[in-house]
Amino acid sequence: MILRRTLLLVLLLPSLAAAQTSPEDQARGLLEDGRTYRKEGKLKQALDNFQTIVSGFPNTSFVDDALLEIGRYYLEVDHDAAKARDAFEQVTKRFPQSDGAPGAYYYLGRLTMERAAAATDIDDALAQFARVQRLYPRSEWVPRALYATALAHRKSGRLAEAAEAARRVALEHPSSDAAPAAQFELAQDLALSGDFRQAMEEFQQVRNRYPESEWSPLALDRITALYRLYGAGKPTFALDPSYSVGAGDTLKDVRGILMMPSRTLWVASDKVKSAIPFAPDGKMGPGLAGEDLQSMSLAPNGDLLVTAARAVRLGPRNLQTFAIPGSKPGETEPLEKLGAAAVTPSGSVLVSDEKKKKVFRFDGKLQYQAPFPDAKERQISRIVLDGEGGIVMLDRDEKTVRVLDEAGRVLRTIAAHGPGYDLRKPVDVAVDGFRNTYVADEESGVLVFSPQGQLLATLGGADVRKARAVTVDPSGGVLVYDEKLQRILRFK
Amino acid sequence: MTVTRPRWSLLALALALAAPLARGQEAAAPSGALSEAVQKELAAVQDLIARATAEFEGPQQSRSIVQFDEIVTRLEVLHRQGTLPPRGREILSTAYEMRARAYYNIGLQEKAADSFRSLIQLNPQYAVSKERVSPKVVDYFNSVKKALVGYLAVSSSPAGARVSLNGEFLSLTDFFPLEVLAGEYTVEIAREGYRTETRTISIAAKATETLQVDLTRTLASAFVVTEPAGVEVWLDGQLKATTSGTPGPDLVEMVRAKGLDPARASGRTELGNLSLGSHNLEFRRKCYETVKRQIEVPEARDYETEGIKLQDSVASLQLRSEPPGARIFLDGEAMGITPKDLDAVCSGRHHVEVKHTSGKFVQDIVVSKDESVTLDCPIRPSLAYLGVIAESAAGERFIPDVEEKLIENLQQKVTALNFVPAPRDTVDRVLESEKLTRKALLAGSGVDPDIVRKVTIRLAEALEVQGFLLALLPGEKLQRTAVLNLLAAGNTVPDTSDVTFGESASYMRFLAEVDRKATLYRPWTGLITVDTSMYEGVPVLRVVAGSPAAQAGLQPAEVLTAVDGKGVKQTSDLLAAVEAKKAKDKLGLSFKGAGGAARTVDVTLADTPQEIPLNDPSLLYNKVMIDLLAQIQGYPGTETAAFARLNLAICAMHFGDFAAAHEHLLKARAELPARPGLSQGTALYYLGLALERLGYKKEAVDAYRAAAGFKDATLFNNDGPSVAPLAARRGGN
């Protein structure tokens, strides 16, 4: 019997051996399947595959790729920066000559950049991106690293350097997958630098060279916005007589309007005690309820902030009240006359309290930090972001608009009076993608200011009776809520 | 051996019987090369005759008799065998004569007579020389002869017939009486085209027989005269004759009467031996139209044909090449330089080759009579195929098979380049001069790039090509793959492409890439428009200075609404309309002005040069470089060459060869214009980049600063971003 079994085994062994594939082939198969899962959105399964490669096939040539994918998962899905960093660092330390190494440096740079709190963080990120270009000059990661370099420079306010890095992608790697974004970035940097004509040309290049990319329609909006203001010599705004959104009570007692990048228009009506979304086709969506609505703003992550007198809705499900330390230790004092709120690029929350006449800063965990920018009393009725790290605050009493950085330094100011204008009753403020500021004034209509504070245009006249709220759409069209007309007007 | 004297009658009979045998034997005697034995024998006999003759002329003449006996004996053997050659016959005749004379001189007249008889039997027309021989001997000879020979005269109508006696050729008619041995003969009189006549005669000694024969014609003849001469006459598909000469004075009128020009006509040419019936005639001459005729030959006689006049069959050929100045070869003959008009090109098929330093054009054409053909000869660069090398010794045995498959799949299928198998010895010679092998041309060879660059330039000059293709068999176990290495002259890094060499489909990608021509120029207006959602149409943002749009007076802020009557919604509509045209075409642009006023303006398009992208994965950069080299060689000293050099520099930078890029840019900078658009400033900017990468920081800054001085210089193309601010930044301004 034993002999028979032995004989059987001996006969079977060769065919068993032939049926087994090599570890290298198995690892390759797991990697390919994992990437397929990722494309299909089966992220957990993808992660399992990649982790199996690392633990089960440590001597194959696919470990670096697997680690890179693991890092991407933690970065993009779990948002776990520590785990992501660990995975990427394993690649750079253990497999510095591998195909995955430049990608790892790239992601490390991105991690550093996205969490940058200080200029040195940005410099660290830039060093990682530079490493990709220097050590792996023919790698497919070079254009991505260059693009990320542009973003990092922009984040630091170094627009010329940002434009140069973005230009290099467009010049040297026009067929790379980073090229459309880089071309868009180049145009944006030029616009922010004040070179509007060149910016329009470069936005047009996005459309000419990459018409099918996601950046092409965005470029159209940007060009329209720029051309409206700077294209034909004089800014051109004309009332769109066909525009109509909302009806009935939704247009009564409107405290704020906000146009999202998706072109959904939110209308905060205290009459219906809701912030109501209107889709681009005019269809009304489910609203967010709120008592005593005051204003709305947009967080850096795209969430809508709706400020009511006692609470702020941070996103669709997160209703937050705020309190500051009281006069006695251990005591807290609720803020009950909120006027405006905003989330800064670093994740802090700023809320203005009209009773206290201050703006208070809370950290990402909503722990109270300090008054912002200082303890001086101000009646801040609006806080919005300018998209470039600037925090725009409308001081109702002083009738000024100030733009500050996260540290509270004043970057620019629109004074109450200036050549060609008087702010008499400013009630709302909006900022477009180029840091042009739109101030709704009950008496004057809507005043448009350049980033330098120069008046570009005044919208109103006979068209606007009493401007109460203002927002700007992605193509630079201006929407104004007229309290007297109880209508939202659009100037295109 | 002594010859006895047979009886006359018996002798005659013997001769009559022996003659056919002899003739048969003689007829059997090889007319060509003699056998070795016969040659040896003849050589020996020649030696003997010389000694015998010397003995004959000596004091003891009679001693020569024995020697002559031997000669006669030996040659008679050959005679009987039928292998006696004409020279042997002469010697035998001489031996007989001299033996006879020797006998005569010692008083043995009978023996002398026997010898003379043998001589006459051998050669009835033999005559003893009166100058050399004593009259007595001559008389004696003649008396012997008289008793043996008779005379035969034959004439025929027409003359010129071959007369044979008992199968042995005698002479052509008409001839005076010839001496023949007395006897009975069958006389055959034959002439081509006539029926052979046979007669039987008996010739008695001393008697003369005469034959007069009228020959009966069996075949016809036709006589042709052509204009011009030198015409091939084909009869029933076979070349029969070629007319030549000129008509004699007696034929001039006849020729004229035939409608031909005597000054150009040929002489009268006979087409003999025509069988009776119908025949097809074709008259052919290069550069003339073939004339066909049918001739009826019912009788065996001469026929005069009508005059045959051939008409010119020529065409004209106008050859143009791009670039011009190429050498023309028509059927291998040099015909000048393009552009060239060639008149009087013979109709028919021709092989046209047009060669230029930048490449060549090859085509077979067929032209018809009176056709005027214009042949555009776009010069294509040439690619030298350097063969196959194997990475491992094991791969070497596959080389012949791979060679065959590669040529089969590439030679006739590459259309943008001339695929030229390179002569092995030329390639070896050039490579060996730098102690290199073909492997040095492959990627990662480790050879100094400067040496590779130098060798490729020399090889290109030697082979008159612009690039090279070398296939490598990698060291894999199952040999199925070949790696094609495409390398431009002057470059150091090839582009590689894997093919499964036995599968035609696997070559498709490589062929598509090689046949793709990089866009170096495109039509251009200089009108910069932007898309907005504010207008029906696209507003003009900028008009490039000096451009066609500027020349047409177009201004910013106007809104373009239509191109050639077709509505424009976005800038890509305008770009597509321009792309569909070429330089010098007109484009009708409709605008709406600020006040709403509409106008249409015609803009004449120009060309803008285009930069090759620095990194485009879809481009075969070596192929691009080959095309660029062809432009530089084809249009030296022109702007086209200058822009080609700029792009060559960019290609070199793609490969990281900044030294080569630097060289190209220095030349480009000197040759490029200084006007708006791609210009000297562009070259200076890239020169700065190259110097920076080479580590020459100070020189790089100088180049950037110089570039910044060209305010209107651009990158990419004439519409592209301005060089000045970029260069100023890099130059530290």
Side-chain angles (χ1 to χ4, degrees):
Chain A
M1 186 62 170
I2 294 171
L3 182 62
R4 230 181 270 158
R5 279 186 190 160
T6 311
L7 195 62
L8 192 63
L9 194 61
V10 164
L11 289 170
L12 279 174
L13 269 174
S15 53
L16 280 172
Q20 285 177 352
T21 47
S22 68
E24 194 75 10
D25 289 336
Q26 288 181 69
R28 181 192 297 115
L30 281 167
L31 183 72
E32 285 168 3
D33 289 344
R35 284 175 173 158
T36 305
Y37 286 140
R38 179 162 53 78
K39 276 191 194 141
E40 291 170 357
K42 296 173 185 167
L43 302 173
K44 265 286 177 212
Q45 280 154 293
L47 180 66
D48 284 343
N49 271 37
F50 302 138
Q51 285 173 333
T52 304
I53 295 171
V54 175
S55 56
F57 301 91
N59 298 319
T60 63
S61 62
F62 297 99
V63 176
D64 59 304
D65 298 294
L67 282 168
L68 198 67
E69 296 289 349
I70 291 168
R72 282 185 66 185
Y73 174 88
Y74 286 129
L75 174 66
E76 292 165 2
V77 179
D78 269 5
H79 304 291
D80 189 332
K83 281 187 179 169
R85 183 176 290 281
D86 179 64
F88 295 136
E89 282 176 350
Q90 281 196 61
V91 177
T92 58
K93 290 191 169 92
R94 289 168 57 192
F95 310 99
Q97 303 301 323
S98 67
D99 291 341
Y105 280 118
Y106 164 77
Y107 281 117
L108 284 169
R110 267 194 47 192
L111 268 172
T112 307
M113 181 172 74
E114 282 160 19
R115 278 142 190 82
T120 48
D121 295 331
I122 301 283
D123 289 342
D124 285 344
L126 285 168
Q128 300 286 28
F129 300 137
R131 196 167 278 135
V132 174
Q133 298 164 58
R134 195 176 63 250
L135 299 178
Y136 313 95
R138 298 188 83 81
S139 161
E140 61 176 358
W141 291 96
V142 165
R144 292 173 197 159
L146 274 170
Y147 172 57
T149 301
L151 295 176
H153 280 305
R154 178 145 81 96
K155 200 160 177 163
S156 299
R158 293 190 286 250
L159 294 173
E161 287 84 344
E164 187 177 334
R167 169 81 69 200
R168 279 191 61 191
V169 180
L171 259 182
E172 297 172 25
H173 306 276
S175 303
S176 66
D177 51 11
Q183 181 65 45
F184 188 93
E185 174 62 28
L186 167 64
Q188 182 68 12
D189 294 333
L190 289 167
L192 292 171
S193 306
D195 192 350
F196 302 114
R197 285 196 172 271
Q198 190 61 39
M200 282 187 269
E201 283 197 41
E202 298 297 348
F203 277 126
Q204 186 57 45
Q205 288 303 318
V206 175
R207 292 180 59 74
N208 292 349
R209 288 193 207 154
Y210 314 105
E212 304 302 322
S213 78
E214 59 181 319
W215 300 94
S216 182
L218 298 176
L220 175 63
D221 286 337
R222 296 295 166 117
I223 299 168
T224 305
L226 282 173
Y227 195 84
R228 197 195 309 284
L229 290 170
Y230 305 107
K234 239 172 72 161
T236 315
F237 288 94
L239 183 67
D240 182 356
S242 63
Y243 186 77
S244 172
V245 68
D249 286 350
T250 59
L251 291 179
K252 289 179 179 161
D253 200 9
V254 170
R255 304 292 179 85
I257 56 175
L258 181 66
M259 178 67 80
M260 306 292 272
S262 62
R263 287 189 148 86
T264 296
L265 178 67
W266 285 85
V267 179
S269 162
D270 208 42
K271 181 76 180 176
V272 299
K273 300 208 182 310
S274 286
I276 301 145
F278 291 92
D281 59 4
K283 270 205 185 116
M284 194 169 81
L288 299 170
E291 190 72 40
D292 200 4
L293 295 175
Q294 299 297 310
S295 65
M296 292 184 292
S297 70
L298 193 62
N301 66 355
D303 280 347
L304 175 71
L305 271 75
V306 181
T307 305
R310 292 172 185 276
V312 176
R313 192 178 282 277
L314 298 162
R317 278 179 276 280
N318 188 3
L319 193 61
Q320 198 63 42
T321 57
F322 294 87
I324 57 172
S327 46
K328 292 179 187 155
E331 268 187 12
T332 57
E333 205 178 319
L335 298 175
E336 290 176 332
K337 195 84 169 99
L338 300 174
V343 176
T344 71
S346 67
S348 304
V349 179
L350 301 173
V351 292
S352 70
D353 187 293
E354 293 185 352
K355 195 170 162 187
K356 305 259 186 260
K357 292 189 183 175
K358 287 193 182 85
V359 175
F360 299 102
R361 182 203 282 252
F362 295 80
D363 68 12
K365 294 191 170 78
L366 301 177
Q367 299 296 312
Y368 173 74
Q369 303 245 287
F372 180 85
D374 50 42
K376 186 178 166 201
E377 284 190 352
R378 296 183 182 86
Q379 198 67 265
I380 303 297
S381 60
R382 286 289 185 271
I383 309 174
V384 296
L385 302 181
D386 72 355
E388 296 300 319
I391 300 160
V392 183
M393 299 204 293
L394 172 61
D395 189 325
R396 196 176 60 204
D397 286 350
E398 291 194 16
K399 300 184 180 62
T400 54
V401 175
R402 283 192 193 85
V403 183
L404 301 91
D405 66 10
E406 286 236 34
R409 287 182 290 254
V410 176
L411 298 174
R412 50 190 183 275
T413 302
I414 298 172
H417 313 284
Y421 75 93
D422 269 318
L423 292 177
R424 296 192 188 113
K425 280 190 180 171
V427 288
D428 198 2
V429 67
V431 183
D432 68 14
F434 307 110
R435 294 183 299 189
N436 297 304
T437 310
Y438 300 71
V439 180
D441 187 293
E442 280 185 3
E443 293 185 16
S444 311
V446 175
L447 292 87
V448 184
F449 295 92
S450 73
Q452 291 74 33
Q454 188 188 0
L455 180 71
L456 294 174
T458 305
L459 283 63
D463 297 322
V464 181
R465 302 251 188 99
K466 189 177 180 186
R468 183 69 179 83
V470 68
T471 190
V472 185
D473 73 21
S475 63
V478 180
L479 288 89
V480 181
Y481 174 70
D482 189 318
E483 201 174 51
K484 280 233 167 95
L485 295 173
Q486 291 189 333
R487 257 187 77 191
I488 295 175
L489 306 171
R490 183 168 180 264
F491 290 86
K492 60 175 181 142
Chain B
M1 186 178 88
T2 55
V3 178
T4 54
R5 243 167 98 180
R7 283 193 189 174
W8 169 241
S9 58
L10 283 176
L11 179 64
L13 183 61
L15 282 170
L17 290 172
L21 183 63
R23 273 198 302 281
Q25 285 174 340
E26 278 176 6
S31 58
L34 300 172
S35 71
E36 207 177 309
V38 169
Q39 282 182 39
K40 249 175 115 171
E41 187 66 355
L42 202 58
V45 163
Q46 277 179 317
D47 207 39
L48 277 173
I49 193 77
R51 282 193 269 123
T53 304
E55 197 70 56
F56 178 85
E57 284 163 2
Q60 302 285 334
Q61 190 182 73
S62 57
R63 283 192 195 173
S64 67
I65 292 172
V66 173
Q67 288 164 329
F68 288 125
D69 281 343
E70 190 184 342
I71 293 167
V72 164
T73 304
R74 288 169 80 157
L75 289 180
E76 278 292 348
V77 168
L78 295 181
H79 188 215
R80 278 195 294 279
Q81 286 171 352
T83 57
L84 186 68
R87 178 70 190 129
R89 205 181 170 91
E90 279 174 29
I91 298 172
L92 183 57
S93 298
T94 304
Y96 276 136
E97 181 197 319
M98 295 180 92
R99 188 175 70 172
R101 284 162 61 189
Y103 273 132
Y104 188 88
N105 289 340
I106 59 171
L108 293 175
Q109 288 183 349
E110 273 306 310
K111 282 193 183 297
D114 284 342
S115 252
F116 278 140
R117 278 187 212 105
S118 296
L119 172 57
I120 291 159
Q121 280 161 17
L122 179 69
N123 190 352
Q125 285 142 35
Y126 194 88
V128 171
S129 168
K130 286 180 184 155
E131 281 82 41
R132 292 184 295 112
V133 181
S134 82
K136 280 188 188 171
V137 175
V138 172
D139 287 343
Y140 191 67
F141 170 78
N142 286 335
S143 68
V144 170
K145 191 174 179 182
K146 262 188 200 160
L148 291 174
V149 303
Y151 299 88
L152 176 64
V154 182
S155 61
S156 66
S157 177
R162 283 176 66 89
V163 177
S164 303
L165 295 182
N166 292 345
E168 193 177 330
F169 172 70
L170 179 65
S171 182
L172 294 176
T173 60
D174 300 331
F175 57 85
F176 287 109
L178 290 175
E179 290 156 331
V180 297
L181 283 174
E184 300 280 325
Y185 291 98
T186 302
V187 182
E188 197 178 85
I189 304 103
R191 183 182 154 137
E192 201 175 6
Y194 291 83
R195 193 184 314 125
T196 299
E197 299 291 337
T198 309
R199 302 282 186 273
T200 304
I201 56 168
S202 180
I203 301 175
K206 299 181 201 157
T208 299
E209 293 298 324
T210 306
L211 278 178
Q212 164 62 41
V213 179
D214 290 328
L215 296 173
T216 306
R217 203 158 171 183
T218 56
L219 297 174
S221 285
F223 291 86
V224 298
V225 179
T226 63
E227 181 191 333
V231 173
E232 290 179 351
V233 185
W234 290 70
L235 181 80
D236 299 329
Q238 303 283 327
L239 178 62
K240 190 77 175 168
T242 302
T243 64
S244 62
T246 52
D250 54 327
L251 294 175
V252 165
E253 281 312 311
M254 186 264 293
V255 165
R256 204 170 273 134
K258 285 179 189 258
L260 305 179
D261 176 3
R264 295 190 68 228
S266 71
R268 194 161 162 272
T269 302
E270 183 182 356
L271 308 176
N273 304 318
L274 298 180
S275 58
L276 302 184
S278 183
H279 296 280
N280 293 317
L281 285 171
E282 266 188 36
F283 298 87
R284 302 180 189 170
R285 185 180 152 154
K286 199 173 164 200
C287 292
Y288 287 86
E289 266 189 331
T290 296
V291 171
K292 291 184 185 178
R293 292 285 183 273
Q294 202 171 45
I295 182 172
E296 296 298 329
V297 180
E299 296 172 13
R301 61 174 179 85
D302 290 347
Y303 290 87
E304 281 295 331
T305 62
E306 59 180 292
I308 304 295
K309 186 168 181 174
L310 272 65
Q311 303 295 329
D312 290 352
S313 184
V314 292
S316 64
L317 186 58
Q318 297 87 47
L319 291 154
R320 313 274 176 261
S321 70
E322 264 313 316
R327 295 165 290 151
I328 303 166
F329 294 89
L330 189 68
D331 301 323
E333 195 184 327
M335 303 295 279
I337 306 282
T338 59
K340 180 95 180 167
D341 290 349
L342 299 175
D343 297 323
V345 172
C346 298
S347 61
R349 178 177 280 278
H350 297 281
H351 181 74
V352 177
E353 234 178 287
V354 179
K355 293 187 187 177
H356 195 276
T357 47
S358 61
K360 63 181 181 180
F361 169 86
V362 178
Q363 188 171 318
D364 286 335
I365 59 169
V366 174
V367 291
S368 308
K369 173 181 155 73
D370 295 334
E371 200 180 355
S372 176
V373 175
T374 300
L375 188 63
D376 286 320
C377 310
I379 303 294
R380 296 184 309 179
S382 296
L383 183 71
Y385 172 58
L386 303 182
V388 183
I389 55 176
E391 205 163 61
S392 64
E396 304 251 331
R397 62 193 174 92
F398 294 97
I399 288 180
D401 188 37
V402 175
E403 290 261 15
E404 189 189 320
K405 293 274 186 312
L406 285 179
I407 290 183
E408 182 188 314
N409 281 288
L410 292 173
Q411 186 151 32
Q412 300 298 330
K413 295 184 184 172
V414 174
T415 57
L417 300 170
N418 298 305
F419 185 88
V420 178
R424 202 166 185 84
D425 52 349
T426 308
V427 176
D428 289 343
R429 179 173 43 82
V430 174
L431 290 174
E432 274 159 18
S433 68
E434 296 289 342
K435 297 184 179 36
L436 296 177
T437 64
R438 281 164 177 71
K439 277 195 176 153
L441 304 178
L442 299 176
S445 65
V447 175
D448 182 350
D450 281 338
I451 295 179
V452 174
R453 192 178 305 120
K454 193 169 75 169
V455 156
T456 58
I457 291 172
R458 280 187 50 207
L459 198 52
E461 281 169 4
L463 297 173
E464 293 187 314
V465 296
Q466 285 66 43
F468 314 97
L469 186 69
L470 178 62
L472 171 72
L473 292 183
E476 59 174 57
K477 284 182 191 158
L478 295 172
Q479 203 69 53
R480 278 197 289 265
T481 310
V483 180
L484 301 179
N485 285 260
L486 180 71
L487 184 66
N491 195 21
T492 58
V493 181
D495 286 305
T496 57
S497 190
D498 286 3
V499 293
T500 307
F501 55 78
E503 290 176 17
S504 299
S506 77
Y507 292 83
M508 303 297 285
R509 189 174 144 256
F510 175 75
L511 288 169
E513 286 176 347
V514 163
D515 281 342
R516 182 178 151 193
K517 231 173 145 53
T519 307
L520 301 173
Y521 284 89
R522 58 173 181 75
W524 175 62
T525 59
L527 198 66
I528 312 293
T529 60
V530 288
D531 297 341
T532 73
S533 41
M534 291 166 63
Y535 303 106
E536 289 294 321
V538 292
V540 176
L541 185 69
R542 178 166 70 96
V543 178
V544 176
S547 68
Q551 285 166 18
L554 299 180
Q555 299 286 334
E558 293 192 83
V559 178
L560 177 69
T561 54
V563 175
D564 285 343
K566 209 166 154 200
V568 165
K569 286 193 164 50
Q570 50 190 359
T571 297
S572 58
D573 297 336
L574 169 64
L575 296 176
V578 172
E579 203 64 33
K581 301 251 182 187
K582 41 188 201 308
K584 299 200 178 118
D585 284 351
K586 281 196 185 337
L587 210 57
L589 303 180
S590 303
F591 292 91
K592 210 173 192 177
R599 68 179 186 129
T600 299
V601 177
D602 278 342
V603 173
T604 305
L605 301 178
D607 261 335
T608 174
Q610 190 83 20
E611 279 181 19
I612 301 289
L614 197 52
N615 290 297
D616 184 346
S618 69
L619 276 183
L620 267 188
Y621 277 83
N622 275 282
K623 165 56 171 44
V624 176
M625 292 173 87
I626 288 170
D627 288 340
L628 293 169
L629 280 169
Q631 294 221 333
I632 292 168
Q633 289 165 343
Y635 304 93
T638 63
E639 270 189 19
T640 302
F643 286 120
R645 242 188 234 295
L646 175 68
N647 274 316
L648 207 55
I650 293 172
C651 291
M653 289 200 281
H654 166 78
F655 288 110
D657 190 353
F658 293 97
H662 176 253
E663 274 185 47
H664 291 309
L665 287 165
L666 285 177
K667 287 181 189 160
R669 182 191 62 175
E671 294 167 355
L672 283 169
R675 58 167 186 264
L678 290 193
S679 58
Q680 287 180 19
T682 317
L684 280 163
Y685 177 78
Y686 282 115
L687 188 61
L689 282 179
L691 287 164
E692 208 177 316
R693 294 299 291 267
L694 288 168
Y696 295 101
K697 297 229 180 314
K698 184 192 168 299
E699 289 80 359
V701 166
D702 290 342
Y704 287 133
R705 285 182 179 165
F710 288 84
K711 298 295 176 205
D712 294 324
T714 58
L715 298 175
F716 288 152
N717 51 45
N718 287 351
D719 291 343
S722 175
V723 163
L726 303 172
R729 241 199 81 68
R730 284 186 169 247
N733 292 346

